[in-house]
Amino acid sequence: MNITTQLDVNLIALDTDDEVTVMLDLEAPPLAADLVRPAASLQVVLDRSGSMSGAPLEGAKDALIALVRRLAPTDNFGLVTFDNEAQVVVPAGPLTDKESVIAKIRQVASGGSTDLGAGLLRGLREIKRVATAGGTLLVVSDGHINAGIRDAGELSGVAARAYGDGIVISTLGYGEHYDETLLAALAKAGAGNHVFASNPDDAGAEISREVTGLLTKALQAMTLTVELEPSVKMVRLYNDLPAAALPGGRIMIEIGDLYADEKRRLLLKLKVPGKSTLGPAKVATLALEYIELPALIEHVAKLPIAVNVVPGSEAAERLSNPIVVSETLFQEAQECKKLASEAFENDHVSPARDHLARAKSHLVSALSTAPASSSDDIRREIATVEQMIHMADRQSTRYMSKLSRSSYHEMNRKRGRSEEPNVEDAGTH
């Protein structure tokens, strides 16, 4: 596990209040060549309400059949479907008879209304029955909830408690009619991924990606605890991750699981009160805790964060770290993207376009500051935002809201991860 920290500035002036931005880069270890992969546990909760009838449901079924074929016989798989109630189609357990499981998937037909809560709760019961070392639950839905539990906060609470039991919850929104705010909140609370698929091919690709991450998981249940020195305050966590206050003024941030070779980047800003003594001054300690797979070894890495207190004349000539400054602007752009998604969701096209324009402006500034090693990444993001701006008048607000929300999730909550885990034959032992 590689861990590095960088500050935007490491000098602060004597007796002067200041702010310091901390960037934390994480890189999970690669898969060992002789690794015997432990059994994985995947529970799918599939919307089969009437709106899924036809191509959406058939495409989802094809994607599930493909993932069953990728999993090993010793992996646990279960399928719960829901419309106005939940049905256990495939009881969670080892895939000792794949053809029987595939036949059951093929028989799934569309039904009535959308009670996602019933499907989620039933799916969690199934995966907890078989997952001894954690697992992943994937919710696939194309509609707004119109039955059962409808409150996003209540469903997020269910997801957070499941994550406490080692179950990661990811969500895939299908088409233009699902509730992106709710599915994104569910994924955030469950420390998983939220993605948008506009057609069956996209849905299949995203389901495949989720399974590949599951099969190459290297680190589990990662948390970052920020312990601040007296009077220091954390004024912002740029990444939209679950965070909770702990006794003693500590803050615990849930990072979730990392697959092999995955890179993640976190950014937080600290307010540092004026220091009356020259020299090094610790402002915080970062404690990173995680479980290494497959041996289930618990690790704790502590990283002190310190600045150097200097006379005001010396601090006035300090230079900012271009990588951290660039990343800060990059994340400011993501916040604009999220605001654009919310505006699109409320059919406010002009404000949404303005938010996207501001996102592009932040990214252009980031590019002017960034070192060469980061430039290509920022150029790709500029192209993505430009495409969204051009699409704003041609696509529906529903589509644009979901596209921008999914993109925000990828570049903010899962910042740094590659498009696809680097693995071959991940489904075999």
Side-chain angles (χ1 to χ4, degrees), residues 299-315:
H299 294 268
V300 179
K302 292 195 173 184
L303 311 167
I305 304 299
V307 295
N308 195 21
V309 182
V310 298
S313 57
E314 185 176 343

Side-chain angles (χ1 to χ4, degrees), residues 136-140 168-172 186-187 190-194 210:
T136 295
L137 184 146
L138 174 63
V139 177
V140 181
V168 172
I169 295 179
S170 290
T171 59
L172 187 152
L186 196 61
N193 305 310
H194 168 63
E210 188 70 29

Side-chain angles (χ1 to χ4, degrees), residues 49 129 158 187 204 290 339 341:
S49 59
R129 184 168 55 76
V158 171
Y290 57 93
L339 293 173
S341 174

Side-chain angles (χ1 to χ4, degrees), residues 73 84 227 244 260 388:
N84 55 294
E227 184 174 352
M388 289 182 185

Side-chain angles (χ1 to χ4, degrees), residues 30 47 57 62 76 81-82 108 117 120 153 186 198 220 282 322 333 335 356 370 380 384 393 412 421 426:
D47 186 346
L57 185 57
D62 288 343
N76 293 311
T81 60
F82 67 91
V108 173
L120 176 64
L186 196 61
S198 61
Q220 190 174 39
K282 187 167 74 170
E335 182 63 24
L356 290 176
R380 283 192 294 269
T384 296
D393 293 323
N412 174 271

Side-chain angles (χ1 to χ4, degrees), residues 64-86:
L64 295 185
I65 289 169
L67 77 84
V68 165
R69 295 196 189 282
R70 287 184 64 191
L71 295 173
T74 50
D75 289 327
N76 293 311
F77 173 81
L79 173 61
V80 165
T81 60
F82 67 91
D83 53 353
N84 55 294
E85 61 181 9

